[in-house]
Amino acid sequence: MKLLALETANEQCSVSLIDEVQELFFQLDARPKAQTQTILPLIEQALLKTGIQFSDLTAIAFSRGPGSFSGVRINAAVAQALAWSQDLPVIPISSLQALAQAAYRLTGLTQVSAVLDARMKEVYIANFSLDDHGIMQAVDAEKLLNYEDAADYSQFEIIGSGSELIKPDLVKSSDDSMSKIIATAQDISIIARVSAMQQKWVDAEQALPVYLRDDAWKKIPDQGKAN
């Protein structure tokens, strides 16, 4: 089994290539909003450095959102195009789940409330708990909420870019590194490995983005405004 994992949903770009037991390649380009320029070169680099071809891949995993509107769209479009051209299945992974997985990978936390800044005084949020496979699983639904409602919705230690928005006093009085945790393709690949082992994937046409905000395309000019 070999999986290609892509992450562009949070305004950065990373690619991971794994097999059943180890990571074969990982590269992160941390420049903000450079996904369109970097995603395809990073994929090409991953294949060249590992000597793996598209025909060797089992599936393509990607962060399907929620997150940056353009980043989510890029990730889904690239994953879908590659999967279609190579007749490969896809494994869509929630970017909130990937964020929770990053918190476990980096800090060892086994229960977190993953929160991403959604702009316009709202956040994306869901609560996660570690399962027997070492994967952070949602214990409730993903939501798009205002700050006050999100604070009430959170159950565990809050992490991610939205944490300082919904509970600023708590974040400032504790370790603010929790607000700086970001998901990468490493976290996408870790989650997707278990899914691939169980053959839990979908066809390329189901490589669809998840925005939570139904009219996100109408509000792009507002997303850069101060909260």
Side-chain angles (χ1 to χ4, degrees):
M1 181 194 75
K2 293 180 176 60
L3 290 177
L4 178 67
L6 314 176
E7 162 54 43
T8 69
N10 293 301
E11 299 189 352
Q12 297 181 342
C13 182
S14 59
V15 170
S16 177
L17 189 56
I18 65 168
D19 62 14
E20 296 92 335
V21 296
Q22 63 184 332
E23 182 179 85
L24 305 175
F25 175 90
F26 172 73
Q27 187 67 44
L28 167 69
D29 188 325
R31 294 176 297 165
K33 300 182 180 180
Q35 302 102 313
T36 53
Q37 290 79 33
T38 56
I39 183 64
L40 293 178
L42 284 183
I43 293 171
E44 182 179 7
Q45 185 181 0
L47 298 176
L48 286 174
K49 285 199 170 183
T50 59
I52 292 171
Q53 300 180 9
F54 278 115
S55 58
D56 299 320
L57 295 177
T58 305
I60 297 174
F62 71 103
S63 54
R64 48 83 165 157
S68 158
F69 176 75
S70 58
V72 170
R73 183 176 56 185
I74 291 166
N75 220 30
V78 171
Q80 188 175 71
L82 291 176
W84 258 331
S85 65
Q86 304 299 322
D87 194 25
L88 291 169
V90 295
I91 304 175
I93 302 295
S94 163
S95 54
L96 288 172
Q97 184 184 18
L99 178 59
Q101 194 70 35
Y104 173 63
R105 174 173 58 86
L106 295 170
T107 70
L109 288 171
T110 59
Q111 292 185 313
V112 300
S113 297
V115 189
L116 289 172
D117 183 2
R119 308 296 183 183
M120 293 174 280
K121 297 184 179 180
E122 293 176 319
V123 294
Y124 305 116
I125 183 171
N127 298 291
F128 293 86
S129 184
L130 194 72
D131 71 8
D132 293 338
H133 298 287
I135 303 300
M136 296 292 268
Q137 300 288 356
V139 300
D140 51 20
E142 297 179 347
K143 298 281 189 177
L144 173 67
L145 300 173
N146 62 43
Y147 297 166
E148 183 178 356
D149 289 343
D152 292 337
Y153 195 68
S154 63
Q155 297 183 26
F156 310 120
E157 182 160 359
I158 54 175
I159 55 99
S161 62
S163 57
E164 60 188 6
L165 299 174
I166 67 170
K167 293 187 177 179
D169 294 338
L170 177 62
V171 172
K172 289 177 182 178
S173 65
S174 60
D175 184 359
D176 65 358
S177 64
M178 293 296 111
S179 67
K180 296 179 173 62
I181 293 175
I182 62 169
T184 71
Q186 287 178 306
D187 306 298
I188 299 296
S189 65
I190 289 170
I191 298 168
R193 177 187 278 133
V194 175
S195 297
M197 292 288 194
Q198 300 170 352
Q199 296 188 7
K200 292 183 178 179
W201 47 51
V202 295
D203 294 334
E205 60 264 26
Q206 296 183 58
L208 301 174
V210 172
Y211 300 120
L212 293 188
R213 179 179 286 133
D214 292 337
D215 56 351
W217 65 274
K218 296 180 182 178
K219 298 184 179 181
I220 290 299
D222 295 328
Q223 290 187 15
K225 294 180 181 178
N227 294 298

